[in-house]
Amino acid sequence: MKKIIIQLFRKMVFIPMPIKTIVTHEDEVILKIQDEMFFQVYWKSLQIGTGPAVILKAYGQEIMKFDCFGKEKGHYHIAPNYNFRIYFVEETIIGQIHRTIQELEINGLRYLKMQKDPKIKALDFDLPQYKETLKLVEAMLMHHEKLLLVEAKG
């Protein structure tokens, strides 16, 4: 009922409409780790910044999401608390990429086991394959950083 009243007030212009966040994904690549688990690597543009990004997904659900945007903008999210941003202490995009890989290496599989979805909890991880795919993720994120440097010079 509360949602209906809020929608009604918005249409009557008593309450402003929420601002829609425009998000763009460029150069998106899916790196399969194993069945039902993959990394999504791409160049991300948000109102607050742009830079390389990666998401760890299992059964189509986002588990960890990293946005390497540089000083005071780079942040990450851990499911299921996607409305909460954890800001990087690292100030450079390269530093944030290294931290991203470290977080995924140390905590990625741990957060998969903490999910509520029993299918995700039951995943039997191929650790060597996870680590190999993580090396590809790092190489791709660093590639995006080099693109940013080229754009800054031009």
Side-chain angles (χ1 to χ4, degrees):
M1 181 68 167
K2 183 178 176 183
K3 284 184 180 183
I4 294 171
I5 292 170
I6 290 172
Q7 288 175 352
L8 180 64
F9 280 153
R10 281 196 174 126
K11 287 186 181 196
M12 296 172 66
V13 194
F14 293 127
I15 299 176
M17 293 296 283
I19 298 170
K20 290 188 178 182
T21 303
I22 298 170
V23 179
T24 61
H25 291 196
E26 299 172 30
D27 305 325
E28 187 172 274
V29 176
I30 302 298
L31 298 174
K32 183 179 176 182
I33 302 163
Q34 61 189 61
D35 288 340
E36 305 302 339
M37 193 163 91
F38 61 89
F39 290 111
Q40 181 179 352
V41 183
Y42 54 98
W43 184 266
K44 186 173 186 177
S45 295
L46 280 175
Q47 202 170 17
I48 66 162
T50 61
V54 61
I55 303 172
L56 170 60
K57 287 188 172 183
Y59 285 98
Q61 294 183 44
E62 296 179 351
I63 307 303
M64 297 179 83
K65 180 165 52 175
F66 297 84
D67 300 324
C68 302
F69 294 162
K71 187 176 181 176
E72 298 177 3
K73 297 176 183 176
H75 62 276
Y76 59 102
H77 311 263
I78 300 170
N81 301 316
Y82 273 110
N83 293 331
F84 182 72
R85 288 182 177 160
I86 302 167
Y87 284 89
F88 288 108
V89 295
E90 295 78 8
E91 294 186 355
T92 66
I93 291 175
I94 291 175
Q96 292 174 4
I97 290 170
H98 290 304
R99 174 67 182 272
T100 294
I101 298 306
Q102 184 180 37
E103 286 292 329
L104 286 166
E105 189 171 24
I106 295 168
N107 295 316
L109 298 178
R110 181 176 299 151
Y111 284 119
L112 282 161
K113 286 291 184 194
M114 294 171 63
Q115 298 303 303
K116 292 179 182 178
D117 187 329
K119 291 184 298 187
I120 295 173
K121 282 182 155 183
L123 274 171
D124 187 25
F125 307 122
D126 182 346
L127 187 59
Q129 183 61 37
Y130 182 85
K131 289 187 174 191
E132 277 303 306
T133 309
L134 202 51
K135 288 178 187 176
L136 293 173
V137 169
E138 183 173 25
M140 293 189 74
L141 292 172
M142 295 301 268
H143 167 73
H144 286 299
E145 162 59 9
K146 288 177 183 175
L147 285 179
L148 181 63
L149 292 173
V150 169
E151 290 176 356
K153 288 180 183 178

